[in-house]
Amino acid sequence: MSGPLRLVEDEGGSERTMQLRTLPLKRRRPALPTQPEPEEQLDLSADPLDELAERLHDICADAVHPYEIAAFLESDGLSDEQAALLYGRPDSFTLAEELFEKVERRYPGPSSEFANPWRADPWRCVVRGLVFALPGLGYLLGANLFAATRMRFGLPSGMLALSVATLVSWGFNQALAHRSYRWLGRLRRREAAICLALGAPLGALVASAAAYVVGGPLGALFFAAGQSLYLGAATVLLVLGREKFLLLALVPASVGAGVVLAADVPQVVRTVVLLVSLVLAVGLAARELLFCIRGGEKESVELKLPIRQEVPHLLFGLACGTLTLIAGLGETIHQAVQTGAAHGAKATPTGPAMIALTLSLGLAEWLLFRYRAMAVAALRTSHTSGQFTRRTGGILLGCLFIYLTTVAALDAATTVLWPGAPALGVPQLGAMLLLGGSLWLALLLNAFGFSWSTALICLAAAGAESAGLLTGADPIVLQLIGCGAAALLLTAIAGPALGRTTQHR
């Protein structure tokens, strides 16, 4: 517009007008390129949240809850006012929730370098199952020590004292083992050994005194005292991880029981074999305790563990012992209550069932480790809390199914091998499986710290079965009701409680 305007004649006529002359195309100035829109030029998103989601993609993809993203935003200095000003959201929590929904979850899978802390040696569990079951052979060697001519509740005189001593030992040693494991969990093996060195003899003394108070033949009372000493020594060796030493101590009794089944052996020889196994167990336990106490260094920081935490484990041991004794001797006591305590009872098919149950304890322990290992793996691979709950529920039911199936198979095998043993009927088998399932669920919950709940449930079932048995009720019906109710309650607790991620940290 700085140059003069050219006046050209109008082609339509002679009248002169003023107009702009258009230049030819080849002489025109090249057109400038079209300017992009501001949004397209700066590559801006319509919603500033998209840019934030891209910038925090890794954090949002690995988050398991919006609160995790909100915590990061707040730590990064984003306030609610800034969230409203920059992103149009009322606060940082709303912003975090939208980021959590916008970014797809991306959880890392289990690493090959990850070492699961709950791995268990299956052969060690097999050995522990054997040392749980083999002591039962000692009753074959000591059967003649009980006066079969005098009966109490349908049992030979002295069996009641032995049963009471067994209950006391189970309860006391359960609490003692838990306290010792608490010391071991704090990496104080010396203190654990001191605890066992003081507690094991005390438990044997208390159990022997209980048997003496109940009374019976002198031979039966000595047998109860020896059993109490053995259970104390076995607790020491099992807690300190010396199952093979205990298996070695049981070799004489196991061989002697096999000989007794094949030939008639004098009672003196039987007693000597029992004493050899007892001396071996006590000697090996004492050796291990001395090694731990002398070899360990005394900690500079003194630590005290409250003893009240062992009370539920004491009650749990008493309850488990009562339920097991009712399963083994309930039919005999029931017949004695019905016909009079002075009469004996006919043979019952509970012997193979009890052997199957004790042999399965090794598998039960392995399945406890297996459940925890699989739960930790599920925790690392689950994308949501609901998915984790479903996975742990399936793992729980799978482990329980494997255990109960194995118990039934072991019962079938021992029934075939047991001379003249009748097979379990459906009600008896159901009662045994309910007992095994209840004990396994209780042990699992105990491992997660639900000691009072399991103790009270099992104690209520044991008390109800005992009361019903003494009033003449059918023991099989009592076990179906008592153990069935306990199994239902324990399952109802285990499902939701163990489905929480915080239980598996």
Side-chain angles (χ1 to χ4, degrees), residues 340-420:
H343 296 82
K346 64 181 181 180
T348 59
T350 56
M354 290 298 98
I355 292 178
L357 199 59
T358 52
L359 280 174
S360 69
L361 292 179
L363 174 65
E365 185 172 333
W366 182 80
L367 286 174
L368 293 178
F369 281 95
R370 187 61 182 162
Y371 172 83
R372 301 208 70 167
M374 295 176 71
V376 171
L379 184 63
R380 293 175 56 83
T381 57
S382 298
H383 293 178
T384 63
S385 58
Q387 186 181 17
F388 174 75
T389 302
R390 290 190 296 272
R391 287 186 177 182
T392 52
I395 294 170
L396 176 64
L397 294 178
C399 290
L400 190 59
F401 175 77
I402 293 173
Y403 177 64
L404 295 181
T405 303
T406 305
V407 171
L410 287 174
D411 174 72
T414 51
T415 300
V416 172
L417 298 175
W418 190 285

Side-chain angles (χ1 to χ4, degrees), residues 85-459:
L85 180 63
L86 300 177
Y87 302 103
R89 271 65 177 179
D91 50 50
S92 60
F93 288 96
T94 304
L95 186 63
E97 290 176 357
E98 294 192 24
L99 287 173
F100 186 80
E101 294 177 0
K102 181 180 287 291
V103 179
E104 186 179 356
R105 306 274 73 73
R106 185 202 59 196
Y107 300 119
S111 172
S112 58
E113 300 178 357
F114 171 71
N116 200 311
W118 297 106
R119 290 180 179 176
D121 183 5
W123 291 110
R124 182 183 180 187
C125 293
V126 170
V127 172
R128 291 176 74 91
L130 289 175
V131 300
F132 289 145
L134 289 179
L137 298 176
Y139 295 112
L140 294 176
L141 297 173
N144 294 337
L145 298 175
F146 302 91
T149 56
R150 290 178 293 171
M151 310 296 292
R152 300 177 68 181
F153 291 100
L155 301 173
S157 182
M159 280 295 292
L160 184 60
L162 180 63
S163 300
V164 172
T166 303
L167 286 178
V168 174
S169 294
W170 279 357
F172 191 95
N173 289 326
Q174 182 77 16
L176 176 63
H178 181 263
R179 186 170 183 81
S180 303
Y181 278 124
R182 288 172 64 195
W183 283 116
L184 291 176
R186 290 161 175 79
L187 303 180
R188 298 200 174 191
R189 191 174 180 86
R190 183 176 182 273
E191 283 77 2
I194 294 175
C195 177
L196 291 168
L198 296 176
L202 179 61
L205 180 62
V206 172
S208 302
Y212 179 79
V213 170
V214 174
L218 188 61
L221 295 181
F222 276 117
F223 186 90
Q227 176 188 265
S228 302
L229 281 173
Y230 167 79
L231 291 176
T235 302
V236 171
L237 293 175
L238 289 174
V239 169
L240 296 179
R242 296 294 183 263
E243 300 86 1
K244 294 181 180 179
F245 289 174
L246 186 57
L247 186 62
L248 177 63
L250 289 170
V251 169
S254 302
V255 175
V259 174
V260 167
L261 290 175
D264 188 16
V265 179
Q267 184 57 48
V268 176
V269 178
R270 298 185 181 192
T271 304
V272 170
V273 173
L274 286 173
L275 288 176
V276 169
S277 285
L278 177 62
V279 170
L280 278 176
V282 173
L284 290 172
R287 171 186 174 275
E288 190 64 26
L289 288 174
L290 288 175
F291 178 78
C292 293
I293 294 174
R294 292 179 178 178
E297 296 181 0
K298 187 175 181 180
E299 296 289 341
S300 58
V301 179
E302 185 178 358
L303 179 64
K304 293 183 180 180
L305 301 180
I307 200 171
R308 64 178 179 274
Q309 295 186 12
E310 322 308 335
V311 175
H313 297 276
L314 172 67
L315 298 177
F316 176 70
L318 291 173
C320 289
T322 303
L323 291 172
T324 305
L325 286 179
I326 291 175
L329 303 175
E331 189 67 30
T332 303
I333 297 175
H334 171 68
Q335 294 177 15
V337 171
Q338 292 292 327
T339 60
H343 296 82
K346 64 181 181 180
T348 59
T350 56
M354 290 298 98
I355 292 178
L357 199 59
T358 52
L359 280 174
S360 69
L361 292 179
L363 174 65
E365 185 172 333
W366 182 80
L367 286 174
L368 293 178
F369 281 95
R370 187 61 182 162
Y371 172 83
R372 301 208 70 167
M374 295 176 71
V376 171
L379 184 63
R380 293 175 56 83
T381 57
S382 298
H383 293 178
T384 63
S385 58
Q387 186 181 17
F388 174 75
T389 302
R390 290 190 296 272
R391 287 186 177 182
T392 52
I395 294 170
L396 176 64
L397 294 178
C399 290
L400 190 59
F401 175 77
I402 293 173
Y403 177 64
L404 295 181
T405 303
T406 305
V407 171
L410 287 174
D411 174 72
T414 51
T415 300
V416 172
L417 298 175
W418 190 285
L424 284 180
V426 174
Q428 291 87 351
L429 180 61
M432 183 188 68
L433 294 181
L434 286 174
L435 172 62
S438 300
L439 295 182
W440 189 82
L441 287 170
L443 290 173
L444 179 64
L445 288 172
N446 269 341
F448 283 92
F450 296 89
S451 53
W452 274 110
S453 301
T454 56
L456 293 178
I457 291 173
C458 293
L459 199 62

